[in-house]
């Protein structure tokens, strides 16, 4: 049984959890508008030029510094914040035999919005996520290292990095590997696995896995699916709308620009590339073949091309809610940096607006922050019986022209 408690103003104000501070064992409740209880490369591959040196690293055990088998190196710091939970900062990528380049100042979860198909409840699961962190056991962090009980740092195979047939010779082939940093959080019946995978080719994959238990909310057939013996009980279908906050600093804080790319000509034999640069705060929806990038205006690779990271959000269920959930009406928001804009909804700071749709108020972009919204529609099934298998949602950040050739 889960108790509904009242969050204090101090808890909502959040801030950083003290390094190594214990996390209270009882999770605080969800923030909901409704009354029901909570639910459960070799030399010469070409790197960047004029890249600024990365920021000074943090201290152990909050520093992660890993060189992967292909020679690529990732450096970053982690924090367990009261409000956002696991937060990664000072993220630096170094391709093999190249100079290091900063990628992100910080990244964290910014909200898990859970509206049910029947219209209620409508949860906002992040507001004090750090207090719900689960102590990890050795089996939870296979072949990895547990940091301060709550964070796992490990590596894993990601399949073929490339494979090319070469006549009368051995194939050119390589297996890729990821550095993975994750933590687990118990929010009501659900366990959320917050994970970032840093690939040896420079890509980053943020994702969340939902596991634990179904909430046990029963509903009518039009809003759910029969669970258990027969068809007398229907478990309520619902959506997980997960927001990430991404404060990019490509090769440093200055000169970052956000661009959107579209390709016209659907139904024709030819297509034309269309580029839109965001000069002011903006919102955008995912469309077929649409993607975005954060590009540095000055730093270039050895081919003379501007260095950037591409964001692709093509796997979202694209949930669109009612008028009072306007924050669900876009899949990507671009705002200018403000330290008090921390969450995509129920933002705790009184100095800022309450939701990300209200952050986009026409300010010029000097230091862009991206908010990515990925939806997953969960229609329960018999296989979701305890413990519920993890279902994952996320997106991919891919280096574009960071190196002039394949970084292997």
């Amino acid at each position: 049984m889960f108790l509904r408690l009242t969050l204090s103003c101090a808890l909502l104000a959040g801030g950083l959890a003290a390094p190594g501070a214990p996390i209270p064992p009882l999770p605080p409740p969800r923030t909901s508008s409704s009354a029901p209880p909570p639910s459960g490369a070799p030399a010469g591959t070409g790197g960047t030029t004029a890249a600024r040196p990365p920021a000074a690293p943090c201290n152990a055990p909050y520093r992660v510094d890993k060189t992967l088998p292909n020679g690529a190196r990732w450096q970053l710091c982690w924090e367990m914040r009261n409000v956002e939970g696991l937060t990664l900062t000072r993220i630096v990528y170094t391709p093999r035999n190249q100079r290091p380049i900063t990628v992100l100042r910080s990244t964290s979860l910014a909200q898990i919005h859970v509206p049910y198909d029947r219209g209620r409840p409508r949860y906002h699961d992040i507001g004090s996520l750090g207090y719900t962190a689960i102590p990890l056991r050795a089996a939870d962090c296979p072949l990895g290292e547990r940091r301060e009980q709550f964070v796992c740092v490990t590596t894993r195979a990601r399949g073929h990095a490339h494979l090319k047939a070469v006549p009368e010779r051995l194939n050119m082939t390589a297996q890729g590997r990821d550095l993975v940093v994750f933590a687990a959080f118990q929010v009501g019946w659900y366990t959320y696995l917050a994970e970032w995978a840093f690939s040896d080719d420079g890509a980053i994959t943020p994702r969340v896995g939902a596991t634990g238990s179904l909430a046990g909310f029963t509903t009518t057939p039009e809003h759910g699916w029969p669970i258990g013996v027969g068809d007398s009980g229907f478990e309520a279908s619902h959506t997980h709308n997960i927001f990430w906050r991404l404060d990019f600093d490509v090769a440093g804080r200055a000169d970052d620009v956000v661009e959107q790319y579209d390709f016209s000509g659907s139904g024709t034999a030819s297509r034309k590339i269309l580029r839109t640069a965001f000069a002011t705060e903006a919102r955008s929806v995912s469309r077929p073949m649409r993607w975005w990038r954060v590009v540095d205006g000055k730093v270039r690779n050895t081919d003379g091309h501007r260095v950037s990271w591409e964001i692709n959000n093509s796997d979202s269920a694209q949930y669109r809610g009612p008028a009072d959930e306007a924050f669900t009406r876009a899949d990507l928001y671009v705002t200018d940096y403000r330290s008090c804009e921390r969450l995509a909804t129920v933002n705790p700071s009184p100095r800022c607006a309450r939701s990300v749709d209200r952050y986009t108020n026409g300010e010029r972009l000097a230091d862009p922050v991206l908010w990515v919204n990925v939806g997953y529609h969960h229609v329960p099934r018999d296989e979701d019986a305890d413990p519920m298998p993890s279902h994952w949602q996320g997106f991919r950040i891919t280096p574009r022209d960071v190196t002039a050739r394949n970084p292997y």
Side-chain angles (χ1 to χ4, degrees), residues 60-407:
Y62 309 102
R63 180 177 66 250
V64 178
D65 188 338
K66 182 66 176 179
T67 299
L68 295 168
N70 77 326
R73 180 184 185 188
W74 285 99
Q75 298 164 276
L76 56 97
C77 304
W78 69 268
E79 305 167 2
M80 188 61 75
R81 295 186 176 180
N82 294 344
V83 172
E84 298 94 339
L86 179 60
T87 301
L88 307 183
T89 65
R90 307 178 192 176
I91 299 172
V92 178
Y93 169 59
T94 308
R96 179 184 177 186
N97 294 335
Q98 306 297 329
R99 297 179 180 179
I101 182 169
T102 57
V103 184
L104 288 153
R105 186 189 312 172
S106 68
T107 177
S108 63
L109 289 174
Q111 194 51 263
I112 303 176
H113 172 236
V114 189
Y116 278 72
D117 285 13
R118 65 184 184 178
R120 62 181 178 86
R122 312 183 77 76
Y123 291 120
H124 300 258
D125 279 350
I126 294 181
S128 50
L129 194 63
Y131 289 102
T132 72
I134 299 172
L136 300 175
R137 306 292 184 249
D140 305 322
C141 185
L143 304 178
E145 177 186 0
R146 288 171 289 161
R147 304 286 185 92
E148 298 290 287
Q149 300 184 67
F150 301 105
V151 175
C152 173
V153 179
T154 189
T155 64
R156 68 180 176 213
R158 64 177 181 89
H160 281 94
H162 61 252
L163 192 158
K164 179 181 178 179
V166 181
E168 299 180 358
R169 294 175 55 190
L170 294 175
N171 292 341
M172 297 176 62
T173 186
Q175 293 292 310
R177 199 153 189 91
D178 289 343
L179 164 69
V180 180
V181 182
F182 80 88
F185 303 90
Q186 189 67 44
V187 182
W189 285 277
Y190 269 93
T191 303
Y192 291 114
L193 310 175
E195 174 188 288
W196 284 261
F198 299 90
S199 298
D200 50 11
D201 62 356
I204 305 171
T205 306
R207 65 176 191 160
V208 167
T211 179
S213 302
L214 288 169
F217 292 152
T218 57
T219 187
T220 51
E222 63 267 30
H223 299 309
W225 196 265
I227 297 294
V229 179
D231 57 359
S232 59
F234 292 81
E235 179 82 22
S237 300
H238 53 280
T239 299
H240 297 259
N241 299 312
I242 300 184
F243 290 79
W244 285 263
R245 181 182 181 275
L246 302 157
D247 184 3
F248 277 91
D249 277 355
V250 179
R253 181 179 298 188
D255 306 312
D256 285 351
V257 176
V258 181
E259 298 176 340
Q260 176 177 289
Y261 285 82
D262 292 281
F263 296 81
S264 66
S266 179
T268 66
S270 64
R271 297 190 184 278
K272 181 179 180 181
I273 189 169
L274 304 173
R275 180 182 68 90
T276 302
F278 295 139
T280 60
E281 295 178 323
R283 63 191 69 183
S284 183
V285 299
S286 292
R287 293 179 180 174
M289 303 178 69
R290 171 174 284 179
W291 47 270
W292 305 267
R293 72 168 181 165
V294 182
V295 56
D296 189 273
K298 293 183 178 179
V299 177
R300 299 174 182 266
N301 68 12
T302 54
D303 276 352
H305 300 146
R306 294 191 299 166
V307 167
S308 66
W309 261 265
E310 173 186 326
I311 297 94
N312 187 293
N313 183 16
S314 60
D315 293 332
S316 175
Q318 292 187 287
Y319 172 89
R320 302 295 183 248
D324 61 350
E325 293 176 350
F327 56 87
T328 65
R329 303 294 178 85
D331 304 299
L332 180 133
Y333 292 87
V334 185
T335 64
D336 201 49
Y337 174 83
R338 294 187 71 187
S339 61
C340 62
E341 293 176 347
R342 299 176 64 176
L343 296 183
T345 75
V346 295
N347 188 52
S349 175
R351 304 186 307 277
C352 277
R354 290 277 288 172
S355 57
V356 67
D357 55 300
R358 299 179 183 180
Y359 302 162
T360 51
N361 54 11
E363 293 182 47
R364 290 194 61 82
L365 290 172
D367 187 3
V369 175
L370 277 65
W371 308 73
V372 178
N373 171 20
V374 181
Y376 174 85
H377 189 218
H378 186 187
V379 180
R381 55 190 180 132
D382 277 343
E383 289 86 352
D384 286 336
D386 276 10
M388 181 173 63
S390 300
H391 56 80
W392 293 91
Q393 60 198 98
F395 63 102
R396 189 166 174 83
I397 306 167
T398 307
R400 178 168 287 275
D401 307 327
V402 173
T403 58
R405 294 177 60 187
N406 185 334

